[in-house]
Amino acid sequence: MTLDYVELGGTCASDDSVSCDCSSDCGGSCSESAPRGCDCSETPEAGADDHCLAPVELKAAPSTSGKPGKTPRPKRPDFVSTTNACKLCTPLGAMLAFRGVEGAVPFLHGSQGCATYMRRYVISHYREPMDIASSSLGEKQAVYGGGPNLKKGILNVMKKYDPVLVGVATTCLTETIGDDVGGYLREFRNEFGDLDLPEIVHVHTPSYNGTHMEGWNAAVRALVDQLAKDKVEPHGKVALLPGFVSPADLRHLRDLITDFGSDAVILPDLSDPLDGPALEDYTPLPEGGTPLADIRALSGAAGVIECGRSLAMTPTGSTGPATAGRVLHERFGLSLHGVGLPIGLRETDALVAALEAVTGKPLPRKHELERGRFVDAPVDGHKYVSGKRAVVYGEADLVIGLVSLLTEIGVHTVLAATGTRGAHLAEGIAAVTEGLLPETPMVIEGADFEEIADTAEGLSPDLLVGNSKGYRYARQWNIPLVRAGFPIHDRFGGHRLLHVGYAGAQALMDRIVNAVIEKTQSDSPVGYCYL
């Protein structure tokens, strides 16, 4: 089959087309030679040699081989790009996880722009400095490989920070060109083995294959897999893999385990590195984080608690156990307790049951009272929020936890959405709402905010619950936005919001009820100051 160019009638072949202004022949790269005002809906994409041709359609011509000509394949539908993504890039999650290790420097193997973007994004939420090293690849390295830059970058990090660990994450660029990061790091250890080298953990995190949560989970798994290799004597600590929660959440979880009479190894621990005190003197690396020795000794833990319903449903991949908790369970035989993110009454009860099993002790009276106060709160607040309709979005495990809490206080979630694909969100939502809602919430995975908004408009929501990226829709629909999770760029103290535990459930409910009351108060023509 051959294809002929055929001039079209109508405006495509009119004299209104813009001529090529380049000084050379039209075989150059002029991009302004296409016609304006074309009414043709079948305009083909121009190739490098077609820039000065009038728009044409393709028509099958008789085959010179004597066989009948074939009709060209129909044009594929136009691709619709993501609009205001409900996710962040994969290596950003890995950088945050590595920041949660004491004395660690996160290191991006890619272009400088990636590190700059991530630092700015993280700082805007946490209000703390966030150093991210970079191998700073350019055009040359994109062609010949980034190995030399990676090695030189690690040496520079060693000189400037003297880290105990360097967490290396790949980016779109280095994954696309096929850099063998593991091979480069083996070469680095051989070439510079006479130096006092830090531990180096690496993880594959191309942004085109996942979200920040998949980067976070992959980095946590890599830390356990590459550092916790040897069996040690039992030390009785509780190994907690909390998921991506706020510094306030991490402090609360540590206090909870301490109140059970046990020490905790929390991995990662961002509570001090990204919410630290003011210091008189500059320190290259912030204090806090999970000590490297504790990660190496995880095999001696009394048990492992891994938070996240989506993690619990993640299938085992070709590279071995899918999560950090399963690595510890399968490698050392540690008891593994998979629970949801402990938001709300029932999900926190599940965490408490796991702690009681690991420690052999009952729930301390302090937290029993917190539970009782939260159970009492819906009795007082149901008249304000009962039957309200909510749209919830964010990371899958956070969404499941928030929906569980909303269901418990009488709010009906009509739409639950996440930017992650394959997160088992529908199964998780069904588990926490079964028998408690008049209808199962609509669930969307791999969503962007354009899709969330288009779907939610027909569901008449009364409030949004999620990060600050949903504000424009709350403003457009004139409904409250209850901020939770990451990122929160338009409010102060987002990293100090408490979500987990009975105290976190109480704090969240208070904010939800008050947001509804404030909306009613603001909409009143006369206002009121007494409820």
Side-chain angles (χ1 to χ4, degrees):
M1 180 186 76
T2 60
L3 297 174
D4 290 341
Y5 283 102
V6 181
E7 291 188 357
L8 300 176
T11 58
C12 286
S14 70
D15 295 333
D16 294 333
S17 60
V18 180
S19 63
C20 175
D21 294 328
C22 57
S23 58
S24 61
D25 291 337
C26 290
S29 58
C30 175
S31 60
E32 296 296 325
S33 57
R36 295 172 182 167
C38 175
D39 295 329
C40 174
S41 62
E42 295 295 329
T43 303
E45 295 182 2
D49 297 325
D50 301 329
H51 293 289
C52 291
L53 293 174
V56 294
E57 68 177 1
L58 298 178
K59 182 181 73 174
S63 172
T64 56
S65 63
K67 297 180 180 180
K70 297 181 180 179
T71 304
R73 287 178 294 180
K75 181 183 178 182
R76 291 183 297 178
D78 293 335
F79 172 74
V80 179
S81 64
T82 296
T83 305
N84 194 7
C86 186
K87 61 180 181 179
L88 302 171
C89 70
T90 315
L92 186 149
M95 294 295 95
L96 284 168
F98 287 139
R99 177 62 282 166
V101 177
E102 185 179 46
V105 172
F107 189 109
L108 274 179
H109 184 38
S111 64
Q112 179 63 44
C114 294
T116 303
Y117 149 70
M118 291 179 201
R119 289 174 57 212
R120 181 66 189 87
Y121 211 88
V122 170
I123 290 169
S124 180
H125 175 87
Y126 289 99
R127 315 287 174 167
E128 294 283 356
M130 174 75 173
D131 285 1
I132 298 177
S134 173
S135 52
S136 301
L137 304 191
E139 292 87 348
K140 177 181 177 181
Q141 290 77 31
V143 175
Y144 295 104
N149 278 44
L150 175 61
K151 298 172 186 177
K152 185 180 297 184
I154 295 175
L155 290 173
N156 287 337
V157 166
M158 290 169 56
K159 184 183 302 182
K160 181 174 182 179
Y161 294 96
D162 190 25
V164 299
L165 181 140
V166 176
V168 178
T170 59
T171 59
C172 299
L173 172 59
T174 47
E175 290 286 346
T176 300
I177 65 177
D179 264 6
D180 180 9
V181 176
Y184 292 153
L185 294 178
R186 286 191 293 272
E187 291 175 2
F188 178 82
R189 293 184 182 98
N190 291 333
E191 293 171 14
F192 302 100
D194 57 325
L195 302 178
D196 184 16
L197 299 180
E199 288 283 359
I200 304 175
V201 173
H202 71 281
V203 62
H204 295 281
T205 52
S207 278
Y208 51 73
N209 186 29
T211 70
H212 63 293
M213 277 312 304
E214 285 155 306
W216 170 281
N217 293 330
V220 175
R221 183 192 180 282
L223 285 165
V224 171
D225 185 44
Q226 297 174 37
L227 297 177
K229 296 181 178 180
D230 301 321
K231 181 66 177 177
V232 302
E233 290 296 319
H235 49 66
K237 296 180 180 179
V238 176
L240 177 64
L241 306 172
F244 185 28
V245 293
S246 74
D249 292 330
L250 292 167
R251 283 190 285 267
H252 183 73
L253 291 171
R254 183 177 293 281
D255 290 343
L256 174 62
I257 296 173
T258 300
D259 291 340
F260 266 92
S262 296
D263 292 328
V265 178
I266 298 178
L267 180 69
D269 186 358
L270 298 171
S271 58
D272 288 335
L274 289 180
D275 190 24
L279 301 175
E280 291 186 4
D281 299 317
Y282 167 77
T283 57
L285 291 175
E287 296 180 356
T290 311
L292 185 61
D294 283 355
I295 303 175
R296 288 172 172 158
L298 280 171
S299 61
V304 182
I305 300 176
E306 188 166 46
C307 299
R309 281 183 177 267
S310 68
L311 281 180
M313 292 182 279
T314 302
T316 299
S318 59
T319 57
T323 70
R326 290 190 218 173
V327 170
L328 292 171
H329 173 67
E330 296 183 16
R331 184 175 294 176
F332 304 112
L334 298 181
S335 62
L336 174 61
H337 303 266
V339 299
L341 208 61
I343 299 177
L345 181 70
R346 293 164 298 153
E347 297 292 81
T348 302
D349 282 348
L351 172 64
V352 167
L355 283 170
E356 290 176 336
V358 173
T359 65
K361 298 177 181 178
L363 177 67
R365 177 65 175 167
K366 167 185 172 181
H367 298 280
E368 188 178 340
L369 292 173
E370 286 181 350
R371 186 184 191 278
R373 285 191 287 269
F374 174 65
V375 170
D376 178 65
V379 178
D380 302 326
H382 77 280
K383 61 182 179 181
Y384 305 111
V385 297
S386 180
K388 296 295 183 182
R389 300 164 65 84
V391 171
V392 187
Y393 57 88
E395 300 95 4
D397 288 320
L398 175 67
V399 169
I400 294 170
L402 291 172
V403 170
S404 180
L405 169 70
L406 290 168
T407 302
E408 291 165 354
I409 65 175
V411 177
H412 297 176
T413 301
V414 293
L415 174 62
T418 182
T420 306
R421 299 182 186 275
H424 307 280
L425 182 61
E427 295 95 317
I429 295 296
V432 299
T433 60
E434 185 177 5
L436 298 175
L437 288 181
E439 58 186 14
T440 303
M442 185 179 298
V443 175
I444 309 177
E445 290 191 2
D448 61 12
F449 277 98
E450 192 78 3
E451 183 178 6
I452 293 172
D454 288 345
T455 306
E457 279 186 325
L459 299 175
S460 303
D462 297 301
L463 69 157
L464 293 177
V465 185
N467 58 56
S468 62
K469 293 183 73 176
Y471 170 71
R472 60 175 292 188
Y473 304 104
R475 179 183 175 91
Q476 177 181 330
W477 301 332
N478 190 29
I479 61 176
L481 168 62
V482 179
R483 291 164 178 81
F486 174 90
I488 297 177
H489 294 320
D490 62 345
R491 290 293 184 274
F492 183 75
H495 60 301
R496 286 188 288 271
L497 292 178
L498 184 62
H499 308 83
V500 304
Y502 302 123
Q506 183 68 77
L508 266 173
M509 180 183 173
D510 289 349
R511 290 197 288 120
I512 292 166
V513 172
N514 285 330
V516 172
I517 291 174
E518 184 178 0
K519 176 67 168 62
T520 304
Q521 193 176 28
S522 300
D523 290 348
S524 170
V526 295
Y528 54 86
C529 57
Y530 181 80
L531 299 177

